[in-house]
């Protein structure tokens, strides 16, 4: 599971340990070097003291002046000084510097002391000075050796460090960034609709798990999408099959009746004609019902694409009023169109909006009392336009308002005896208006009329040119 | 006028034939599928061809395309008589070269009217 975490922290531990060990080594080496350096300085100092001393020895006059007792005292001081330094010099033993030369010096010193002879002392200092090289050389070598060792440590450390950094980078690239990028790319492809992804050999680390899980998820989504497409296809098939299967027999029924009624096949007596007319009227109604149901099913299945364009609202309403002119004459109702700015355009599927307008108008006319008029007007707002159709009919009770827009909501009323509806008109209108991103409502005072309104969100005012004015 | 009618549903075939004969006064030859219609049209001269949309062997659209790409029959006006009434279907039919598009269920009298006006157009065009 936590492979990447483990491997990464392993690499970091290696780096940490290497650094700690190296720091320790550096520290130790540095201290050793420091010590050696101090020792060397001390030897250097002793030697220069001795050189000074020897020089003063040769000044005969000085020797005389101080006298032998003061000379002895001075000598003693020097001796003690050197002694102390010798003791310190013995520290050098640790550094494995050969101290033969010092032993020799010590021996000569004691002899010179016994004799109390300045000449001997002279010899002593001479020998000490001549041994200077012998003492200092190993020390220098030691220092050189230390430097070499330190350099080696340094190189080893750098190599290990570089290796660790290199492996980490390679690791990050191959184990983390490459699979992450691959996963990203796959997600992008999937998002773009490429639902069949090549199989992956994902590792067993965290990203591999992520990759595998993404693939499982993608598979599931792809399957669901497939299923949805299948359902969609079935729906489309269903609509077109039903549409064909219902229309074909209706075509025969309607065609036969029309042909019979046209009288081209043979003369009809009045009763036969009446009966055939009833059959024709009902078959028309059935055809309308079939068309309505299919429309509604298509809209519900989102299979009715809108063919939107900009059209004049006034023209649309005028067309719809012309379409219901026959109904108006039959029921002695007038339609008046008021307050529709001719510059107002709506962005709609005209055929569909005609359907809505015709529906609302024919309802209003159907329910209007004889001699009254139906009014159509528009109310542009900031976000669109309301189109309202008001009648002076019986109105709608509050409790009926909610299911008015549902399928088959048609109720038998005195008026509905005249023109039998299918009860789908408002349901279709609602679906159409909602598909346009609008909504449909009704306000009514029972007994005095109703106002059906629908809202179209995409509207604009166009500049009226002289030409369009003349055309209007 | 000589009209070829291709329609696989026998009832509709009979109704359309009767309408064209009795109301329109045309001479009608009938067949049940597009393939037959294409062969008939190649063999004899027709003034107009009425095609059902969904037919076995070769559907209306295919038949229309075949007729239009066959020089001797390419000038004969074609009318679709079909249950496919969506805007896209109508556009497809007209693009295939149809002169008229009648959606089922149809009114026999209207069918005859439509055919009459198409033939009238054809008459006006031919001499020119
Ligand atoms: N303007 C109106 N005044 C009073 N009642 C109405 C009005 N418009 C609709 N209704 C009521 O709403 C019902 C449903 O109307 P809808 O348009 O959906 O169906 P329909 O007119 O009966 O049939 P269709 O429109 O499908 O031919 C009507 O039967 C009627 O009861
Ligand atoms: Mg209605």
């Amino acid at each position: 599971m936590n492979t990447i975490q483990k491997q990464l922290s392993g690499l970091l531990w290696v780096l940490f340990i290497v650094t700690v060990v190296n720091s320790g080594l550096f520290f130790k080496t540095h201290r050793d070097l420091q010590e050696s350096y101090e020792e060397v300085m001390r030897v250097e100092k002793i030697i220069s003291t001795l050189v000074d001393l020897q020089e003063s020895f040769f000044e005969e006059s000085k020797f005389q002046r101080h006298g032998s007792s003061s000379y002895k005292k001075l000598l003693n001081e020097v001796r003690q000084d050197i002694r102390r330094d010798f003791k310190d010099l013995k520290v050098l033993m640790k550094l494995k510097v050969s101290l033969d030369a010092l032993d020799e010096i010590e021996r000569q010193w004691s002899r010179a002391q016994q004799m109390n002879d300045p000449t001997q002392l002279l010899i002593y200092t001479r020998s000490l000075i001549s041994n200077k090289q012998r003492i200092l050389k190993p020390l220098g070598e030691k220092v050189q050796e230390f430097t070499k060792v330190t350099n080696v440590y340094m190189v080893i450390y750098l190599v290990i460090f570089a290796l660790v950094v290199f492996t980490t980078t390679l690791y990050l690239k191959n184990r983390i960034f490459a699979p992450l990028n691959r996963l990203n790319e796959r997600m992008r492809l999937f998002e773009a609709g490429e639902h069949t992804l090549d199989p992956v050999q994902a590792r067993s680390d965290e990203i591999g798990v992520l990759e595998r899980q993404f693939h499982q998820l993608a598979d599931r989504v792809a399957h669901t999408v497939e299923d949805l497409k299948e359902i969609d296809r079935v729906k489309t098939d269903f609509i077109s099959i039903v549409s064909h299967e219902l229309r074909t027999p209706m075509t025969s029924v309607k065609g036969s009746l029309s042909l019979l009624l046209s009288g081209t096949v043979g003369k009809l007596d009045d009763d036969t004609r009446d009966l055939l007319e009833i059959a024709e009227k009902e078959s028309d109604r059935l055809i309308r019902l079939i068309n309505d149901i299919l429309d509604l099913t298509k809209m519900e299945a989102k299979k009715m694409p809108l063919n939107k364009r900009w059209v004049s609202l006034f023209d649309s309403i005028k067309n719809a009023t012309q379409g219901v002119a026959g109904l108006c004459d039959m029921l002695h109702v007038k339609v008046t169109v008021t307050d529709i700015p001719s510059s107002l355009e709506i962005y709609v599927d005209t055929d569909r909006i005609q359907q809505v307008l015709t529906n609302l108008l024919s309802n209003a006319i159907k329910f209007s009392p004889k001699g009254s008029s139906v009014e159509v007007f528009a109310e542009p707002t900031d976000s669109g336009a309301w189109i309202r159709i008001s009648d002076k009919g019986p109105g709608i009770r509050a409790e009926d308002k909610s299911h008015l827009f549902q399928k088959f909501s048609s109720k038998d009323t005195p008026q509905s005896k005249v023109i039998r509806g299918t009860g789908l008109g408002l349901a279709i209108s609602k679906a159409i208006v909602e598909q346009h991103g609008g909504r449909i409502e009704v306000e009514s005072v029972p007994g005095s009329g109703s106002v059906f309104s629908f809202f179209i969100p995409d509207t604009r005012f166009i500049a009226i040119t002289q030409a369009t004015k003349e055309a209007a | 006028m000589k009209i070829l009618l291709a329609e696989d549903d026998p009832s509709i075939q009979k109704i359309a034939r009767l309408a064209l004969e009795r109301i329109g006064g045309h001479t009608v030859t009938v067949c049940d599928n597009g393939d037959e219609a294409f062969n008939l049209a190649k063999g004899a001269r027709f003034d107009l061809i009425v095609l059902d949309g969904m037919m076995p062997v070769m559907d209306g659209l295919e038949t229309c395309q075949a007729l239009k790409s066959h020089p001797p029959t390419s000038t004969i006006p074609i009318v679709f008589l079909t249950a496919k009434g969506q805007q896209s279907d109508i556009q497809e039919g007209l693009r295939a070269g149809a002169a008229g598009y009648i959606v089922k269920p149809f009114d026999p009298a209207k069918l005859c009217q439509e055919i009459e006006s198409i033939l009238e157009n054809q008459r006006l065009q031919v001499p020119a």
Side-chain angles (χ1 to χ4, degrees), chain A residues 288 359 363 366-367 391 404 410-411 421-426 450:
Chain A
R288 208 150 44 90
N359 238 308
N363 281 352
K366 268 194 300 192
F367 291 98
D391 66 61
L404 213 59
S410 192
K411 276 206 321 214
T422 58
L424 286 172
L426 286 177
S450 2

Side-chain angles (χ1 to χ4, degrees), chain A residues 16-279:
Chain A
F16 178 72
I17 289 164
V18 168
T19 313
V20 166
V21 168
N22 240 289
S23 311
L25 287 173
F26 265 133
F27 186 67
K28 186 177 172 294
T29 315
H30 183 78
R31 217 185 46 207
D32 287 355
L33 270 177
Q34 190 83 27
E35 267 172 17
S36 317
Y37 180 71
E38 275 163 16
E39 292 313 321
V40 171
M41 292 305 285
R42 212 193 305 276
V43 172
E44 195 75 72
K45 210 179 102 206
I46 295 167
I47 287 170
S48 63
T49 318
L50 286 175
V51 170
D52 287 352
L53 200 65
Q54 197 186 24
E55 269 170 11
S56 61
F57 248 150
F58 282 105
E59 283 175 45
E60 198 84 21
S61 56
K62 205 175 186 181
F63 183 72
Q64 297 297 333
R65 224 187 296 134
H66 288 290
S68 89
S69 66
S70 59
Y71 168 68
K72 239 189 218 161
K73 207 172 120 216
L74 173 72
L75 211 59
N76 221 17
E77 271 169 23
V78 174
R79 182 190 152 263
Q80 248 145 40
D81 222 22
I82 293 178
R83 261 269 157 225
R84 205 180 57 236
D85 288 342
F86 277 173
K87 221 166 53 209
D88 289 339
L89 268 175
K90 278 187 184 150
V91 174
L92 294 177
M93 295 269 274
K94 270 198 280 177
L95 307 176
K96 296 184 182 63
V97 173
S98 152
L99 288 184
D100 295 351
L102 287 178
D103 289 345
E104 172 76 25
I105 291 165
E106 190 113 56
R107 258 200 313 280
Q108 286 185 9
W109 170 252
S110 59
R111 223 179 309 148
Q113 222 185 0
Q114 277 164 18
M115 287 179 199
N116 200 5
D117 180 358
T119 331
Q120 278 300 320
L121 191 68
L122 203 70
I123 293 166
Y124 158 68
T125 47
R126 280 253 177 82
S127 113
L128 188 57
I129 290 162
S130 67
N131 276 321
K132 177 183 157 188
Q133 284 308 312
R134 279 175 61 198
I135 298 167
L136 288 182
K137 210 176 146 217
L139 260 177
E141 276 166 7
K142 199 73 200 172
V143 169
Q144 250 170 28
E145 199 186 311
F146 278 140
T147 320
K148 229 186 276 167
V149 168
T150 319
N151 283 347
V152 170
Y153 282 154
M154 189 69 174
V155 168
I156 290 174
Y157 177 73
L158 278 179
V159 166
I160 292 177
F161 187 81
L163 270 176
V164 170
V165 168
F166 180 72
T167 348
T168 313
T169 315
L170 214 67
Y171 181 85
L172 284 176
K173 185 176 164 291
N174 288 340
R175 287 290 172 91
I176 296 177
F177 294 115
L180 269 183
N181 286 341
R182 193 172 56 193
L183 188 58
N184 260 341
E185 177 60 14
R186 274 164 188 271
M187 284 183 166
R188 200 187 57 71
L189 280 177
F190 189 79
E191 233 273 288
E194 180 67 61
H195 287 179
T196 43
L197 300 171
D198 305 332
V200 274
Q201 273 107 43
R203 293 175 199 278
S204 55
D205 56 24
E206 291 91 327
I207 295 180
V209 169
L210 193 66
E211 236 174 325
R212 257 196 294 272
Q213 270 172 357
F214 169 68
H215 271 255
Q216 277 169 11
L217 194 70
D219 263 2
R220 268 229 298 281
V221 171
H223 271 121
T224 315
V225 168
E226 239 7 85
D227 286 354
L228 285 177
K229 274 190 191 154
E230 176 64 18
I231 291 172
D232 212 48
R233 217 174 42 71
V234 169
K235 261 190 200 169
T236 316
D237 283 359
F238 172 80
I239 291 168
S240 70
I241 286 169
V242 167
S243 151
H244 186 252
E245 292 312 310
L246 291 176
R247 282 209 171 104
T248 306
M250 283 320 295
T251 307
S252 300
V253 173
K254 159 92 176 144
S256 305
L257 292 170
S258 305
L259 265 184
L260 285 173
L261 280 165
S262 75
T264 48
V265 191
K267 281 265 163 290
L268 304 171
D269 64 53
D270 284 353
D271 281 346
T272 316
R273 173 169 290 277
D274 284 352
L275 287 173
L276 285 174
E277 268 169 2
I278 291 170

